[in-house]
Amino acid sequence: MKRRIFLGLSTLGLACGWVGVMAPDRQSLRQGKHRLRTAGQVAMNAWLKLNTDGYVDLLMSKAEMGQGVHTALAMLVAEEMDLPLNRIRLEDARIDRVYGNVAALAEGVPFRPDNQQGLVQSVRWLMRRVMNSMGIMMTGGSSSVKDLWLPLREAAALTRQSMLETLARHWQVPADAIRVHAGEFHASKADKNLHLPFGQVVGLLLEAPVLAKQFNLKATKDFSTVGQATHRRDSFAKVNGTAQYGIDVRLPGQMFA
C-alpha cells in the first residue's frame, strides 16, 4: 500500500469519531440561526453587524500579518452587499468554533492539489468536517481567503436579501424591484421614485426584521469590487505608528514568560 493512501485511510479512521458528535456548524450560524440585536445594531448571522450609521462591522477571525487579508475579506462583504469598501469596519471576533479555519487542514492533506480521486476527495471532506468540529481559529497556510470565500459571501448575501425583503414590505413593492447601489436602496412605485440610505433600512430591520429564506450570490462577471486594485486598509496605521501588534497587547493581570 502506498504511503499516501495509508496516511489517508489512517486519518479517515481516526477522525470518524468526530463526525457523529459535531456541534452545529458555521453554516447554520451564518444563515441566521443565531441573530443579535443591540441598541443601533442588528446581525442576521455570526459574521456581520449592521449599524444605523450606515456601516457594517465584520467580525474578523483572521490575523493581519502583512498579507492583506483584512482588506481582501472586507472586499468580499462589500461586493455582496453593494457597499463602498470604506463602509466595512473590522471588529475582532470572539473565541468561538464558528470562526474555526476549515480550509487549513483540508488543503494540507498529503495529496497533490490537482488529485481528484475518490479517496482524496473523501479525506478532504472529512478533514473539513473535523476542522469544523474542532473550531480551531488560526491564520496561516495561505488559507484565509479560501476558508472564508463562501462563508462571508453567503453571510453578506443573506443580509442583503433580508434588507431587501424588509424594505419591500415597508414600500409594498416586490423585493426584486429594489436596486442597491453604493449602499443606497432605490425603487419606483406609481411613477414615484423611492429612496432610502443603508442606515435607515437597518432601522427598519431593528423594528421588524425579516430573515430571508433564500439568497443568490453574485456572478463573478458582475463583480465590481473584488479583483480591483484598492488601498490596503492596514497600511496607514503601520506607517503612522498607531497599529497594535501582538507584542503591544497588555491585558489586566497579564503575566510574562
Side-chain angles (χ1 to χ4, degrees), residues 214-254:
Q214 294 182 329
F215 57 89
N216 295 313
L217 296 177
K218 265 190 182 181
T220 54
K221 64 181 179 61
D222 297 325
F223 282 176
S224 59
T225 299
V226 172
Q228 301 301 313
T230 187
H231 294 293
R232 287 272 298 270
R233 63 187 310 145
D234 57 309
S235 298
F236 186 69
K238 290 176 178 177
V239 170
N240 67 18
T242 60
Q244 185 182 47
Y245 293 86
I247 198 171
D248 300 324
V249 175
R250 296 292 183 271
L251 299 174
Q254 181 172 324

Side-chain angles (χ1 to χ4, degrees), residues 8 11-12 102-103 105-131:
T11 304
L12 193 67
V102 173
L105 184 58
E107 301 305 320
V109 293
F111 302 107
R112 296 194 317 271
D114 61 345
N115 191 330
Q116 300 298 317
Q117 294 178 1
L119 173 62
V120 175
Q121 294 292 77
S122 297
V123 171
R124 287 192 177 121
W125 173 85
L126 186 58
M127 290 300 96
R128 292 187 186 97
R129 300 297 288 176
V130 170
M131 286 294 281

Side-chain angles (χ1 to χ4, degrees), residues 57-135:
D57 294 335
L58 165 58
L59 278 297
M60 179 56 66
S61 58
K62 307 296 184 184
E64 176 59 75
M65 298 183 287
Q67 78 279 44
V69 69
H70 281 187
T71 304
L73 296 177
M75 290 172 75
L76 297 183
V77 174
E79 185 69 75
E80 291 292 345
M81 296 196 71
D82 288 309
L83 269 177
L85 184 58
N86 62 9
R87 299 266 288 277
I88 309 298
R89 300 185 299 213
L90 302 185
E91 177 182 328
D92 290 333
R94 65 186 186 277
I95 304 299
D96 195 300
R97 70 192 310 154
V98 68
Y99 304 113
N101 188 322
V102 173
L105 184 58
E107 301 305 320
V109 293
F111 302 107
R112 296 194 317 271
D114 61 345
N115 191 330
Q116 300 298 317
Q117 294 178 1
L119 173 62
V120 175
Q121 294 292 77
S122 297
V123 171
R124 287 192 177 121
W125 173 85
L126 186 58
M127 290 300 96
R128 292 187 186 97
R129 300 297 288 176
V130 170
M131 286 294 281
N132 187 68
S133 175
M134 296 171 68

Side-chain angles (χ1 to χ4, degrees), residues 91-182:
E91 177 182 328
D92 290 333
R94 65 186 186 277
I95 304 299
D96 195 300
R97 70 192 310 154
V98 68
Y99 304 113
N101 188 322
V102 173
L105 184 58
E107 301 305 320
V109 293
F111 302 107
R112 296 194 317 271
D114 61 345
N115 191 330
Q116 300 298 317
Q117 294 178 1
L119 173 62
V120 175
Q121 294 292 77
S122 297
V123 171
R124 287 192 177 121
W125 173 85
L126 186 58
M127 290 300 96
R128 292 187 186 97
R129 300 297 288 176
V130 170
M131 286 294 281
N132 187 68
S133 175
M134 296 171 68
I136 297 175
M137 295 174 66
M138 62 168 288
T139 306
S142 299
S143 63
S144 294
V145 173
K146 185 179 295 185
D147 184 54
L148 292 180
W149 174 260
L150 275 180
L152 285 187
R153 291 181 63 204
E154 289 178 355
L158 167 73
T159 301
R160 180 183 185 275
Q161 186 63 31
S162 298
M163 296 181 76
L164 287 173
E165 293 182 15
T166 297
L167 186 54
R169 184 176 63 184
H170 176 71
W171 278 344
Q172 296 186 331
V173 299
D176 58 8
I178 302 175
R179 305 178 307 280
V180 188
H181 177 68

Side-chain angles (χ1 to χ4, degrees), residues 11-56:
T11 304
L12 193 67
L14 288 171
C16 278
W18 288 92
V19 177
V21 294
M22 281 186 295
D25 63 14
R26 63 185 184 179
Q27 182 174 1
S28 68
L29 290 177
R30 71 177 180 256
Q31 293 181 357
K33 304 297 184 184
H34 291 249
R35 282 178 279 171
L36 167 72
R37 293 181 68 187
T38 58
Q41 282 188 325
V42 60
M44 314 306 289
N45 49 66
W47 300 96
L48 305 173
K49 296 179 183 177
L50 309 181
N51 298 272
T52 53
D53 62 5
Y55 285 79
V56 173

